[in-house]
Amino acid sequence: MRMELRVCQHCYDGTHGNDRKTEITRDMVACAEQIREYKDFINLDAVYITKVEDGEPDDAEALSVVIAGIEGDTVTLRDTQLVIEDADERILVYPEPADILEVLVRNLDQIDQQTRQNVGVELSPEGESMRT
């Protein structure tokens, strides 16, 4: 199994000026980094974290899936998504930040059950509110 989290570099850096999205993006990255550290506990072969610049889908590090959406009359590429390739080589794509965060936290919960170490990530208030 492989997992790739793709986030907007500008959202991560906070240069878009949307503090809420910056906090949630950083929460997602922190969770993915922790999962990457302990990936063997839940049989993940690899965890990739890719920070993309303004809709550059070719920046996919491992799993080349691109999600698009329609904003007004324009098709736009989603720069934030979680892509998982399971053991049967099926591709699961989560484009919504709330779903991404939920999947990442559930993976951390699974890891936490397999080890004596606390692997949880303290989420920002924005991330916590998204989960409730």
Side-chain angles (χ1 to χ4, degrees), residues 47-98:
V47 177
Y48 304 93
I49 302 167
T50 306
K51 296 174 184 151
V52 298
E53 299 269 343
D54 291 331
E56 293 178 6
D58 296 327
D59 283 351
E61 189 166 334
L63 302 169
S64 57
V65 174
V66 179
I67 301 298
I70 298 174
E71 294 179 14
D73 293 333
T74 306
V75 174
T76 60
L77 301 178
R78 299 273 176 106
D79 53 13
T80 300
Q81 60 192 26
L82 179 66
V83 181
I84 299 173
E85 179 185 56
D86 70 12
D88 297 326
E89 296 184 357
R90 289 179 294 200
I91 302 291
L92 307 171
V93 181
Y94 300 90
E96 298 300 324

Side-chain angles (χ1 to χ4, degrees), residues 16-55:
H16 276 312
N18 184 337
D19 293 339
R20 181 177 191 274
K21 188 158 185 192
T22 296
E23 285 186 30
I24 292 167
T25 301
R26 289 179 181 169
D27 286 345
M28 289 188 282
V29 170
C31 288
E33 288 172 342
Q34 193 75 331
I35 292 167
R36 182 170 53 196
E37 180 76 24
Y38 294 93
K39 67 182 175 23
D40 296 335
F41 285 98
I42 55 172
N43 297 319
L44 284 172
D45 297 319
V47 177
Y48 304 93
I49 302 167
T50 306
K51 296 174 184 151
V52 298
E53 299 269 343
D54 291 331

